[in-house]
Each structure stands twice: as C-alpha cells, then as structure tokens.
Amino acid sequence: MNSKPKTTTLLRSPAKLNLFLHVINKRSSGYHSIESLFVPIMWFDEIYIEKTDDGVITREGDLAGDLAGDLLVKSAKLLKKYAYQYLGNHNEIISSSGCRIFVKKNIPSGAGLGGGSSNAALTLKTLNVMWNLNFTSLQLSEIGKEIGADVPFFLQDHSCFVSGIGEKLSQIMDESFLPHYFVILIPKIEVSTLEIFNSLNSDNYSTASNFLFLESNQTPSFFKEFNSGIWTYGRNDLESTTCNNFPIVGIALNLLKKLAKIYDLPENSCRMSGTGGAIFCSAPTLAIARKIKLQIEKNSKDEFISKVCRRLVCKKLTLGT
C-alpha cells in the first residue's frame, strides 16, 4: 500500500538557504569548520506520519527505494535506540512503538537546500511527541547531529548563525535585517556534498568572524556597517569549486547576476546555497522577485527549475488528528 495515512495532519518540512558560507579549516576528523547564516524558506516537502503499535517503521511515497540510506527511517530508528538507552524502564512501550511515514518531495535533492536534513528533523520532533518520549530540544539536537550536520538547525525555530561543522547555532531573534524574498534557480543535476568538500582547495578558506559572540541586539548593526547589509556580506567559499565541477551551476549563476543587474540589484546578492547547485538572488520586493523569475523562464529554455520563495518565520510543531 502506498497511500497517505489518514490519521495525521499534513506536516511541512522547509528548505533553507545559506546567505553566506565561509569554510574556516579542515579538521583532523575530515570534517570542515564553517561559518554561515541559515534561513528557512517557504518551500516544503509534505510528510505524513502515522503512529503504529507493531514496532515497525515503514517508509512510503517519493524516494522510498533505498531505505538503508533514507534519513527519515534512520531518524526514527536512532530515536528509538536512544529511547531504549535513556528510558529503559519503558522498554515494552518503546518496543511496540512504530510508525508509517509517507513523503511527497517538492524540494529538489542534491541542491544545497537541506531537504533531507529538514525531513529528518521533522521526523525526530514528530515521533518524540507521538511516542511520548519527552526528549528535550537539546537531547534531540544531540541525536540529530548523528544524522547530519544541518539537522540541529531544522530542529529549532529561527534563522541562525551556524558554526563548527554545523552543530553550533546562535538564533537570530531580530530578523529585521534579513531579506524577505528570494529567486531560486536550480540546474537539473544533483551535487554531492562530499565531492565538493573533497575538491575544495585551502586557498578558498575564509578567516573566522566569530558571529556566535555577537549579542542578539548587535547583529543588525553589525551588518548595517556594510553598505548593502547582509545582502552582499561575505560569499560562498564552495561556489567556485562547484562551478568548476558542474559548469551548468556557473551558467545559472551568471544568468541570475545578469537579470539582477536589470533591476539594480548588486551582483553579490546572487550566490550559491550550500554545496549547490541551487543559486539564489535576495530580492527587496515580491514584485521584483517575480519579474526576475519571469525573465528566467524566457531565457533559460527549461534548463532550470525556478521558484520565488519568502523567508519563513517558523512556528512550533503542532500535531493534529
């Protein structure tokens, strides 16, 4: 059977953009230290999760073929493992707790938008409630780090400065300085995060800026010191590597810069998210964003996926029946 469960409300799993992404160094573990600014955007995968009492975890819907590597299944199993470890006096209840997960993918995979990590985080939050585990946000974050570096970000409710390997977060409480709209342009390819980091030359590294030490009321003024604020601050240190490995990403970036210039937007408002291949342009108004998207459709000859998205102001997870 491959139909949506009828006993839960629709859960929406958002994408994210990196407004900048600085790579600081490579650790002895092989992971890279980064500094970035993550913002959630209104582009969602749709997830339905139904609690079952047979102890079995099943996954249906889009991209459900390789369950061994599926992040939603991995999240559910890891949460159950931790439940056994920390809530051992409820082993029988934990053992019988299962779920049926149905996913409709709307966020392109391998585009640097964090769709898989977002799905994993939503699975953790939902099952924590459904299975009555009562893990704290900090405990869920520790579990999330084992699944992927971006998962802890999607477990909380704000745009964030991010550092470490992605696990250190500083919530941005005053988001007034952040862009509201984005035009996103995605080549029809999948980019491997591991391939891009492995190809990165140390000449592309940036110097650490230590944003985590800023007080929340200092953040807007820090970026206002730059003429265009966060719109043009920094860069994506992985951009040139991805463009070299996947020339179509460079073509998309140049197209978006050309169109942004028509509407008096600085070239630096156009950049790549994550390891790519998604390219985005920060836009001051919805009208300008829509005009740029229209020009993309006229110029790209169906080579790319294009979308206008608004920055998401996140709300706490609620479940319905």
Side-chain angles (χ1 to χ4, degrees):
M1 192 164 123
N2 195 24
S3 59
K4 299 175 185 177
K6 297 178 180 179
T7 56
T8 61
T9 55
L10 168 65
L11 303 171
R12 299 193 304 169
S13 174
K16 59 83 179 166
L17 292 173
N18 303 73
L19 295 196
F20 62 85
L21 176 54
H22 297 163
V23 181
I24 308 304
N25 57 48
K26 186 174 183 178
R27 302 182 175 194
S28 58
S29 63
Y31 288 98
H32 288 76
S33 298
I34 65 164
E35 286 187 339
S36 188
L37 198 166
F38 286 9
V39 296
I41 57 173
M42 296 182 70
W43 196 347
F44 303 98
D45 287 336
E46 300 170 17
I47 301 177
Y48 297 79
I49 302 180
E50 177 183 21
K51 180 182 177 182
T52 63
D53 297 319
D54 57 6
V56 177
I57 297 165
T58 60
R59 162 81 158 84
E60 301 170 5
D62 296 340
L63 304 180
D66 179 20
L67 294 184
D70 186 84
L71 291 184
L72 291 93
V73 173
K74 183 177 181 180
S75 299
K77 289 183 175 180
L78 195 58
L79 185 65
K80 201 164 184 176
K81 174 185 172 183
Y82 271 75
Y84 278 122
Q85 183 176 346
Y86 292 105
L87 308 171
N89 56 326
H90 300 291
N91 274 352
E92 290 185 10
I93 297 174
I94 295 167
S95 180
S96 64
S97 294
C99 62
R100 179 183 168 211
I101 305 170
F102 180 95
V103 181
K104 183 178 185 300
K105 291 291 293 181
N106 300 308
I107 303 166
S109 300
L113 298 174
S117 295
S118 181
N119 296 166
L122 185 58
T123 301
L124 289 176
K125 289 194 290 186
T126 304
L127 293 178
N128 187 46
V129 175
M130 282 187 169
W131 290 347
N132 296 311
L133 300 178
N134 298 314
F135 283 124
T136 66
S137 296
L138 183 59
Q139 287 172 314
L140 289 180
S141 185
E142 288 299 312
I143 297 170
K145 283 192 290 187
E146 292 193 34
I147 302 165
D150 290 350
V151 175
F153 165 72
F154 286 107
L155 284 167
Q156 52 75 67
D157 302 293
H158 291 274
S159 298
C160 286
F161 287 121
V162 179
S163 64
I165 62 171
E167 85 286 6
K168 294 180 181 178
L169 305 173
S170 177
Q171 293 185 345
I172 299 173
M173 306 309 294
D174 177 5
E175 298 185 347
S176 60
F177 69 103
L178 296 176
H180 290 289
Y181 300 99
F182 304 95
V183 185
I184 303 172
L185 183 58
I186 306 176
K188 295 179 180 178
I189 57 170
E190 286 197 26
V191 175
S192 164
T193 296
L194 183 62
E195 175 186 340
I196 298 306
F197 272 108
N198 284 343
S199 301
L200 182 65
N201 190 297
S202 60
D203 291 341
N204 293 95
Y205 291 173
S206 290
T207 302
S209 299
N210 297 315
F211 296 109
L212 296 186
F213 294 101
L214 287 176
E215 298 293 336
S216 58
N217 61 352
Q218 294 176 316
T219 304
S221 60
F222 176 87
F223 285 103
K224 285 176 182 176
E225 292 178 9
F226 300 87
N227 291 334
S228 299
I230 192 63
W231 300 62
T232 58
Y233 176 80
R235 60 178 188 166
N236 184 331
D237 288 338
L238 301 169
E239 198 170 87
S240 60
T241 301
T242 301
C243 289
N244 285 336
N245 289 17
F246 299 90
I248 189 66
V249 177
I251 292 171
L253 180 59
N254 289 333
L255 172 60
L256 198 53
K257 286 180 177 180
K258 177 182 176 182
L259 296 176
K261 189 174 182 180
I262 295 173
Y263 298 98
D264 296 322
L265 299 180
E267 280 194 0
N268 283 349
S269 64
C270 303
R271 54 187 62 176
M272 188 178 76
S273 182
T275 52
I279 303 296
F280 69 92
C281 175
S282 302
T285 67
L286 179 58
I288 289 178
R290 285 174 171 169
K291 287 177 181 177
I292 293 174
K293 183 179 184 297
L294 184 61
Q295 290 298 319
I296 289 171
E297 292 169 351
K298 290 179 178 179
N299 286 274
S300 66
K301 298 179 181 178
D302 201 33
E303 295 175 284
F304 309 106
I305 300 167
S306 61
K307 189 174 180 66
V308 171
C309 287
R310 183 166 186 159
R311 177 170 51 83
L312 175 65
V313 178
C314 292
K315 297 181 179 179
K316 296 287 184 182
L317 170 70
T318 56
L319 299 180
T321 57

